[in-house]
Amino acid sequence: MDKLWSRAVIGLFIGSALANFSVWIDFLVILTLTSYIYHASAFLMAFVSALILGPSVFLGPRLGRLVDAANNPSWMLISSLVLRGSTTAFLLFMPSFPLFCLIVFFRSVMALPEYPASNALTAQIISPSDVPRYFGLLGLLRGASKIGAPTLGVVLASIYGVALAIQISIGMTLFASVTIIFAFYKKLHIFTNKNKYFENHKEKNIKELKSDKNVSDYKNISLMKMLLWTVTTYSFMVFFINNQLPVLLRNAGFNMILLGVLVSSSGAGGIFAASYLSRRRRSKQSDTMNPMRATIVSVNAIAFCFVALGGAFMLPLSIAPYVAAILFFCTGIFSTTEAIRANVVVVQGFPKNAGEITAKLSAFRNFAMLIAPWFSAIFMHYDLSISVLFIVDGGIGLMIMYGILHVYKHFNPKTGHSPTLPG
């Protein structure tokens, strides 16, 4: 039997997959209600998006620290799932728009501990050697959810109404919590003796690590900063283009079908990457690149793909869509690799602080997601073509990554290389 799959790991895996699927349905339902029921303006749509992402920026790190301090992430995860599902249920009453916004805000707050608690559990119950494969398999299901959940939500909402989509989301969320309860209700003590790597890490929060002059702790802080800025750069690049892509394609004279093709190509690339990374047996050559370096390489590769996309959209209209689809497939591969490897860095490099680091990552990502569309809007104000915007976006990403690597080398003159995980 595969040593990865204990009852606790199976429960966590299924629960995390169900929770992620329900999050995508929630997201679609919230945007659908905002647009079609409340007939919100573009400004109010942006405000609702801020209500979804904002709590993570301001409250996420504190709640992540609480997940680590409580030392019982399973019940933090269960509580978060139950509270998120219960809060989402209030949307069934179709409240006034101000009350709707309040519900969306509280739902976002209730969801904050989910991701940190899930990664904290992963650090406690899965051996470091199995972590990459676990996140590869979970990334495979998350990629499928990203494609399938919005489609399912649209079909259900259009045929049976938004209420059914909400009910299914609530049911999946609560079932995810039941799965976690079933997995952990008898053997909560396994956290303290299952993972020797987890045991050997000192119990320190991030503030203590920053004030400690120990060389190992200093390297961990450098690794954390490197990871934070790398994933922030990735999120900024992607959402610089993401929200404006429909408008850019329309202005460039492309059919709306191309948008669906490009999104599907990216999703297919993500599934391909997750399938590869989740293989049980990989050659030694495929494991030579450590997770942090793989994260950095992936973000740089995405930046190069964006610059290449700028060139692709300069091609004739009969050729450009095919080249663009191939490049979007590549961005899907590297985006999924970035997400999976970043999680591996957190769980393997910071097992005692996995909750806090995960929350910080989410906060930095969401902050970039909030500000990136405003920057792209400034460029679009000058009627720049889709080719120029892709080149600018990729160029900005490459410059930021060069700066990050330069600063890291400045702080670590003895290594002169990308960071590796401790141990």
Side-chain angles (χ1 to χ4, degrees):
M1 182 179 177
D2 193 338
K3 65 178 182 178
L4 171 63
W5 300 111
S6 64
R7 187 182 71 175
V9 175
I10 292 173
L12 177 62
F13 181 79
I14 295 175
S16 298
L18 289 172
N20 184 258
F21 197 94
S22 68
V23 164
W24 279 106
I25 295 179
D26 284 356
F27 183 71
L28 179 74
V29 164
I30 289 170
L31 294 184
T32 300
L33 289 174
T34 305
S35 179
Y36 292 97
I37 302 299
Y38 298 106
H39 304 288
S41 64
F43 174 79
L44 290 178
M45 287 289 290
F47 176 72
V48 171
S49 297
L51 291 176
I52 296 173
L53 300 174
S56 171
V57 176
F58 299 104
L59 300 176
R62 293 183 180 180
L63 285 173
R65 198 173 302 124
L66 179 62
V67 169
D68 291 328
N71 200 30
N72 200 346
S74 60
W75 291 111
M76 293 287 287
L77 178 56
I78 293 165
S79 300
S80 179
L81 289 169
V82 171
L83 290 171
R84 174 166 71 84
S86 301
T87 306
T88 304
F90 285 103
L91 295 177
L92 291 170
F93 298 101
M94 301 296 174
S96 62
F97 186 70
L99 189 55
F100 167 79
C101 291
L102 191 63
I103 293 171
V104 170
F105 173 77
F106 277 109
R107 179 209 160 276
S108 300
V109 174
M110 296 301 105
L112 289 180
E114 285 182 34
Y115 194 22
S118 178
N119 274 5
L121 274 173
T122 302
Q124 293 182 356
I125 67 174
I126 299 178
S127 64
S129 61
D130 288 324
V131 166
R133 188 158 66 94
Y134 172 80
F135 278 122
L137 290 165
L138 191 59
L140 183 61
L141 288 186
R142 283 174 173 170
S145 297
K146 191 175 181 179
I147 297 173
T151 303
L152 177 63
V154 167
V155 171
L156 292 175
S158 60
I159 298 177
Y160 301 104
V162 177
L164 181 61
I166 297 174
Q167 291 168 2
I168 290 177
S169 171
I170 295 169
M172 294 184 74
T173 305
L174 297 180
F175 186 71
S177 66
V178 172
T179 303
I180 303 297
I181 291 173
F182 175 77
F184 294 103
Y185 79 102
K186 278 187 177 180
K187 296 185 178 180
L188 293 176
H189 65 276
I190 62 174
F191 300 145
T192 59
N193 54 30
K194 174 104 178 194
N195 194 335
K196 292 181 179 180
Y197 188 79
F198 178 83
E199 286 180 333
N200 292 335
H201 274 69
K202 297 178 181 179
E203 188 72 56
K204 294 182 180 179
N205 60 35
I206 300 304
K207 289 183 178 180
E208 291 172 332
L209 283 172
K210 287 180 177 179
S211 62
D212 200 317
K213 302 301 182 183
N214 183 279
V215 174
S216 177
D217 291 336
Y218 181 77
K219 288 182 178 180
N220 280 357
I221 287 300
S222 297
L223 176 63
M224 180 190 72
K225 290 180 178 179
M226 187 77 165
L227 180 63
L228 289 174
W229 286 111
T230 300
V231 300
T232 302
T233 302
Y234 161 78
S235 295
F236 182 88
M237 280 196 303
V238 170
F239 284 89
F240 184 92
I241 288 291
N242 192 62
N243 292 3
Q244 308 292 355
L245 188 58
V247 178
L248 290 169
L249 290 174
R250 182 196 65 197
N251 293 343
F254 292 101
N255 191 292
M256 60 183 291
I257 296 175
L258 180 59
L259 177 63
V261 171
L262 296 180
V263 173
S264 298
S265 297
S266 178
I271 292 175
F272 174 81
S275 299
Y276 175 79
L277 294 172
S278 63
R279 290 186 307 157
R280 182 173 182 178
R281 292 183 179 180
R282 296 190 299 273
S283 66
K284 291 183 178 179
Q285 283 187 336
S286 67
D287 290 331
T288 55
M289 185 177 293
N290 67 67
M292 186 66 241
R293 188 173 291 118
T295 305
I296 293 169
V297 170
S298 297
V299 175
N300 278 292
I302 291 169
F304 278 116
C305 284
F306 280 4
V307 173
L309 278 163
F313 284 113
M314 293 180 184
L315 298 172
L317 293 181
S318 59
I319 302 174
Y322 299 100
V323 179
I326 294 172
L327 289 170
F328 263 80
F329 180 83
C330 294
T331 62
I333 291 175
F334 293 118
S335 293
T336 297
T337 302
E338 181 273 341
I340 292 173
R341 292 310 196 190
N343 277 325
V344 174
V345 174
V346 172
V347 171
Q348 289 186 345
F350 306 92
K352 286 283 187 177
N353 302 109
E356 183 176 359
I357 300 296
T358 301
K360 283 182 178 290
L361 284 180
S362 296
F364 274 63
R365 284 184 191 273
N366 289 340
F367 178 73
M369 290 165 62
L370 283 171
I371 66 172
W374 295 97
F375 279 89
S376 62
I378 293 173
F379 281 93
M380 290 180 67
H381 178 71
Y382 295 98
D383 296 324
L384 298 179
S385 68
I386 186 172
S387 295
V388 173
L389 277 178
F390 265 110
I391 293 172
V392 168
D393 190 19
I396 290 173
L398 288 172
M399 287 190 293
I400 294 174
M401 289 304 298
Y402 175 80
I404 293 171
L405 289 169
H406 179 74
V407 170
Y408 177 78
K409 289 182 180 180
H410 175 74
F411 282 122
N412 298 270
K414 292 183 180 180
T415 61
H417 299 289
S418 300
T420 57
L421 290 176

